[in-house]
Amino acid sequence: MSKAAEPNQRVIEVHNLARVEGEGALYLRMQGRDVAEVKFSIFEPPRFFEAFLRGRDCREVPDITARICGICPVAYQMSSCHAMEMAFGIKIEKTIRDLRRLLYCGEWIESHVLHMFLLHLPDFLNYESAISMASEHRDLVAGALQLKKAGNEIVRILGGREVHPINACIGGFHRVPTRSELEPVAEMLAGCRDFLVQALRFLATLKYPDLEMNYDFIALRHPEEVALNEGYLTTSRGLEFAITQFSDQIEEIHQRHSNAL
C-alpha cells in the first residue's frame, strides 16, 4: 500500500510479505527518488523456547527445538544436539557425522528449492505466484517440486518425518536407516541431476540488482568442506572465532518495530 506523506515524500507499506519463509512486513519511506527509511518487521510473537527448555530432561531438547521452524527444523535440532554433546564431552563417530550431514543436506535441498523456485523466482519473471509461473514454465516448476520432494524424503528417512523430525538425538539417532531405505533416495537425486544443471544455467541468466550494502555478514566456516555441523564462525570483515565465543563476540539487540533479534 502506498500513501502520501509530506511533499515529495511517499510511504510504501506491505503488511504481509508473501515471498518469505515466515511472517514479515515492510515499511518504506521515499524522499524523492531516495530511500529515506526502511523498517523490516517480524511480527510473529516470541515463543520463549530458551525459557521453557529450562529444567527439562536433556533428551527432550532435540525434539522440542525441532518445533521452532517447520521449514528448517534440522538447524535447530542439530544445534541443540551439538550443545548437549559439547557439554557432556561426547564425540560422535564418522558414520553418525556423515548421516547428520546428509540429513542437513536434505533440509537445505527442500528449503533452498522452496525459496529459489517457488518464492523468489516468480518475482524475477514477473508472475504473481509459482502457480501462475507454471503456465509458461511448467517443466521448471515440476522439476523444482521433484527436487524438493527428494529433499523431503531425505529428512523423512533420517529424521523420522518430513516436518519437525524426531529421530536425531544426543550422540546419534534413535534409529539408523538401512541401505535399502536410502537407495531409492539416491535414485531420486540422480534423476534430478539433469534438471538441476539446466536450472542453474537458467538462474545464472537472471538480472540481479547491482547493490552493495554495508552489512557485516556472519557464517559458519570449515577449512575442508561446506560447513554444516562443524567449523568456526567468520564475518565478512575477517573476524574469526569459535562457536563457544558467540556470546562474547556478538551482541543481540532488540528492535522496537520487530520481534526478531
Side-chain angles (χ1 to χ4, degrees):
M1 179 179 68
S2 176
K3 59 184 181 181
E6 299 176 4
N8 202 34
Q9 181 172 283
R10 187 160 62 107
V11 172
I12 301 173
E13 293 184 82
V14 182
H15 298 294
N16 290 280
L17 293 171
R19 296 284 199 265
V20 295
E21 296 181 6
E23 298 175 335
L26 181 68
Y27 172 89
L28 185 68
R29 181 167 59 86
M30 303 289 296
Q31 189 69 44
R33 296 181 61 86
D34 298 326
V35 177
E37 183 181 13
V38 176
K39 290 182 179 179
F40 176 64
S41 302
I42 302 295
F43 53 80
E44 181 180 8
R47 291 173 291 166
F48 306 109
F49 272 82
E50 295 91 340
F52 65 70
L53 282 174
R54 295 174 183 171
R56 305 299 292 257
D57 190 301
C58 64
R59 291 167 294 186
E60 297 179 271
V61 175
D63 289 347
I64 294 175
T65 53
R67 297 294 185 120
I68 293 176
C69 180
I71 299 173
C72 54
V74 176
Y76 300 102
Q77 189 174 60
M78 285 295 98
S79 296
S80 66
C81 286
H82 296 158
M84 296 296 172
E85 289 160 359
M86 189 177 298
F88 296 142
I90 297 174
K91 303 295 183 182
I92 62 170
E93 59 185 55
K94 183 180 184 303
T95 301
I96 296 299
R97 182 181 186 273
D98 291 343
L99 288 173
R100 282 183 171 181
R101 283 184 63 83
L102 180 59
L103 174 61
Y104 225 136
C105 286
E107 177 182 273
W108 273 30
I109 291 171
E110 57 91 6
S111 177
H112 285 50
V113 168
L114 171 64
H115 175 77
M116 290 190 300
F117 293 98
L118 304 181
L119 296 179
H120 212 172
L121 189 58
D123 282 339
F124 276 91
L125 301 183
N126 198 28
Y127 292 99
E128 65 176 14
S129 68
I131 295 175
S132 59
M133 185 174 70
S135 63
E136 297 183 13
H137 299 276
R138 181 180 180 86
D139 291 343
L140 186 63
V141 175
L145 290 174
Q146 190 65 25
L147 182 58
K148 187 179 187 306
K149 182 179 179 180
N152 287 347
E153 187 66 5
I154 294 174
V155 175
R156 184 190 69 80
I157 292 175
L158 284 167
R161 58 189 184 191
E162 295 178 8
V163 181
H164 305 314
I166 53 175
N167 192 35
C169 64
I170 300 171
F173 293 89
H174 292 295
R175 177 185 178 274
V176 175
T178 64
R179 179 183 293 271
S180 61
E181 290 174 320
L182 289 172
E183 284 176 346
V185 178
E187 295 175 3
M188 290 179 66
L189 292 172
C192 294
R193 185 181 300 155
D194 290 342
F195 160 76
L196 187 55
V197 171
Q198 295 173 7
L200 289 175
R201 288 173 177 167
F202 174 74
L203 294 176
T205 65
L206 298 177
K207 303 299 182 182
Y208 296 93
D210 184 15
L211 178 66
E212 291 187 9
M213 302 295 291
N214 186 28
Y215 291 143
D216 195 4
F217 294 98
I218 183 171
L220 190 65
R221 187 172 185 178
H222 194 284
E224 299 176 356
E225 60 190 17
V226 175
L228 294 177
N229 288 333
E230 301 166 359
Y232 57 90
L233 294 171
T234 182
T235 72
S236 53
R237 297 182 183 179
L239 181 64
E240 297 179 354
F241 52 94
I243 296 173
T244 53
Q245 296 178 311
F246 179 88
S247 298
D248 298 327
Q249 298 288 343
I250 303 297
E251 180 183 4
E252 295 180 310
I253 300 174
H254 181 258
Q255 299 292 335
R256 291 179 61 88
H257 63 269
S258 177
N259 286 332
L261 291 175

